[in-house]
Amino acid sequence: MANYKPITKTILATAADSGQVIIAKLSTTSWGLLLLRGTAVFSNTILRSGAVAIWESTNPTTAEPNLVTFTDANATYGITTRAGVALRLKFYSK
């Protein structure tokens, strides 16, 4: 069974507040999913209760991550992301 991701439709605040009916064609696109599961480790130290930020790119960036999750007490994390894209992960510990 295929997975589907909604296609984003932006509605400006001025249009939303106008009181007029807004007609928008909304649809979906096929979206292969990947369950990413791992353990956050840095210099042989597991990062318990840390944050995991994920970008759908391998390029260095200052943009907001596409996905964010957290590690548990064993530094294990899991997240569902798109398949077929390059990922860059950064781990943050307290």
Side-chain angles (χ1 to χ4, degrees):
M1 181 175 159
N3 295 293
Y4 295 95
K5 175 184 178 185
I7 295 175
T8 303
K9 174 66 178 176
T10 302
I11 299 172
L12 300 175
T14 54
D17 292 339
S18 69
Q20 300 295 316
V21 173
I22 300 169
I23 299 172
K25 182 178 179 181
L26 302 177
S27 62
T28 60
T29 183
S30 178
W31 196 32
L33 297 179
L34 166 75
L35 177 58
L36 177 66
R37 182 178 180 268
T39 303
V41 179
F42 178 74
S43 296
N44 295 323
T45 302
I46 62 171
L47 305 177
R48 292 178 171 90
S49 303
V52 181
I54 303 167
W55 288 264
E56 293 180 345
S57 168
T58 58
N59 300 325
T61 180
T62 57
E64 292 291 318
N66 300 99
L67 304 161
V68 176
T69 191
F70 297 91
T71 63
D72 63 11
N74 298 315
T76 302
Y77 64 90
I79 197 161
T80 303
T81 183
R82 292 189 303 149
V85 297
L87 300 175
R88 173 182 284 266
L89 283 76
K90 290 186 181 179
F91 303 112
Y92 300 90
S93 181
K94 48 182 175 167

